[in-house]
Amino acid sequence: MSKTSLQPPRGTRDFYPDDYRQREWLFGHFRRVAHRFAFEEVDAPMVEHAELFTRKAGEEIVDQLYHFELHDRHLALRPEMTPSIARMVIARAGGLRMPLRWFTITQNWRYERMTRGRKREHFQWNMDIWGEPGVAAEAELVGALFEALDALGLARGDARLRVNSRALLEESLRRSVLRQRPEVFEPLCVVIDKIDKIGAEAVVELLVDPTGPVRLESAQARDVVDMLRITSLDDAARHLPDDSPALADLRRFFELLEAYDVRDRVVFDASVVRGLAYYTGIVFEAFDSAGTLRSICGGGRYDRLAQTLGARPIPAVGFGFGDMVIAELLSDKGLLPDLPRVVDDVLFPFGEAERPSAIRLARRLRERDHRVEIVLGNAKLKRVMADADRLGAARIWLLGPDEVSRGVAKVRDLASGEESEETL
Amino acid sequence: MSKTSLQPPRGTRDFYPDDYRQREWLFGHFRRVAHRFAFEEVDAPMVEHAELFTRKAGEEIVDQLYHFELHDRHLALRPEMTPSIARMVIARAGGLRMPLRWFTITQNWRYERMTRGRKREHFQWNMDIWGEPGVAAEAELVGALFEALDALGLARGDARLRVNSRALLEESLRRSVLRQRPEVFEPLCVVIDKIDKIGAEAVVELLVDPTGPVRLESAQARDVVDMLRITSLDDAARHLPDDSPALADLRRFFELLEAYDVRDRVVFDASVVRGLAYYTGIVFEAFDSAGTLRSICGGGRYDRLAQTLGARPIPAVGFGFGDMVIAELLSDKGLLPDLPRVVDDVLFPFGEAERPSAIRLARRLRERDHRVEIVLGNAKLKRVMADADRLGAARIWLLGPDEVSRGVAKVRDLASGEESEETL
């Protein structure tokens, strides 16, 4: 066995008990919020037909697919959950009560260079509403994600949501760039999404690149990039027809956020378009207010995904909330708890003759839902006591030959040090 | 998009809300038992270096590996959890308090022909104790697995455990078959394991096959197969030296099972050897008493696995308990529950003007940990009422223009039909 093989593959994580408790603490918050919003949990296989994920829009996520051929099938580890959810909804669209509210907490895979807060696998909490075209759905999701941030202990100002609408951008460009070539909208969004990372000039270059998928004229590209600088709805309105449905939706969305009491934590930002090609309407991303980390979570409306997969249109909106960036933010703020192991009772039979009595006692305590550890080998009392203390057990039960012959055990409360005798 | 891609890959499962609730019900029982036995949950990546799983013992599990090359790395989806656990233990062996008790509930993958109760992925509950050489560890694990069977609602007689010891078999063969060729023991066990499936004659053929890994003489092979028919420890003793440690261990193990109150549910059966090459000591498999299904769970001692992976020896024992066979058994017995969705409150704003009031009410109810569904679109009262009934909601809140203008909502208890007015 080579040394490498004793490590998990590069970019993947082992979860030792401490790590696992922390992970479940986080997932527990996700689940609790999801349940409060009456979402139901679902799951799909981590391995899917690669075809479900391969799209032609130049997205990073497609280039980074873990994919392989096996017995003439082209398979892939899912890089994100939404296509699997879409597949499941479409397969039973006739029998599902809409709108449906589903959530998942799943591991996703991307083969990529690693940077801070990014590995080759991550877990993601997804919340999706299918079958509702109105922005009440977007607002409900944003309400849920802020409730999760609050539940995790973040202060009101620690994170903020940047919101835009692809429909708004599309309407703005319909009279110019998209008039003759509406098909460039998806790849255009994929390029625009890189602006925070590569800057405006590089985005212009990609937009005009004659070998790229968008191929704008230089002036058009500059107009697009200028438009991304808009940070108020009123400014955005100037590029739009008076009866713009996208603008009306956004205004209504912001109104509803007042009722969720999160309006002050949300800003309009025309540069947010999201890197996935399938979004069609409102899109949003949450960031730490200090701006030092990648996005905490992001999502939006993707009304055309069902069609892309060959089904009739079904409106849909959702978000994905990864486990890595939030853990960094919580850790920076001192909010990531170190969770100790929980053991109620340690049972110590002094010798093998006392073991059956210890086992019978364990059965009784376990029936009462106690967490019971029986000392398994031949240990010294001193080491057992030290161990029980260290692992934070509540009580230790000592079963020596004398006690067992009298049908009792000595119990020591490890917090108070008090000792008593209990009948076995 | 082709039609195939709208189905999950062959042999894999989607978990819709009903399926997911059932799965979590099962996993909840596994977790509760594991916690009562003071085991800690851990996890490892589903993708590992293929080398971790490839062994030279002719095991089915290795032939059925989902493996692939990616950027010059040979990776595989785990077919079982034990090697990952071993890797994790070895990597931190110095810093871990032994004996350690770890459990996992993970999805594992095997590319194979499908039969009843077997798909290409399954979930498995693993319980492992590392660092304890004595049979108190085996007994504790068997105690836990019966506690799980009981918790799931099975009657005492519904399942039974068949127990053997590879050490016993090894001792029996040490003076004959293994004297000159001790290395054939592992492949010999892999062959013997097939006896229930292919019959004694076919096993003899494999054992003598001159191109196979074992290559016994015909008489030797018949002796081995005869030995597998033994079903009492006293009969087994006749093939063993008087001071056989394996026999002493087995006798002690059965004694301890008395204390766990499961002795009557366990039988000695020399034909049980388990299909994995790494077992060294006591091995066991649980079956439904009717004998119609594959094994429910199985495990045993594997003291040499750490060495195989290049580390110093660490004694270890564990079991794996799949989610598929137990589900079939529970279903056959009518014990697999249909778990309904749980919603406490449905909130129905009659129009968009009332929606902000509904959202504010939802916030208050969710703070009290209620599961609250806000009707998102423009629905008819009749349909909303029927839906709320169908999904089993406890209450429906009606927010009409009249109510909202008076600062109240009408609440109907859907079980009793009683209506009242509550202040918003």
Side-chain angles (χ1 to χ4, degrees), chain B residues 124-136:
Chain B
Q124 198 174 57
W125 174 38
N126 275 253
M127 295 268 283
D128 293 274
I129 299 176
W130 281 75
E132 174 50 45
V135 295

Side-chain angles (χ1 to χ4, degrees), chain B residues 296-341:
Chain B
I296 298 168
C297 70
R301 180 166 285 280
Y302 51 98
D303 286 350
R304 282 198 291 266
L305 183 57
Q307 268 169 295
T308 310
L309 298 178
R312 67 175 180 81
I314 313 173
V317 54
F319 71 72
F321 191 130
D323 69 334
M324 307 274 303
V325 175
I326 189 69
E328 284 191 55
L329 178 58
L330 291 169
S331 168
D332 287 354
K333 304 271 175 195
L335 293 168
L336 205 57
D338 277 326
L339 299 161
R341 187 169 170 206

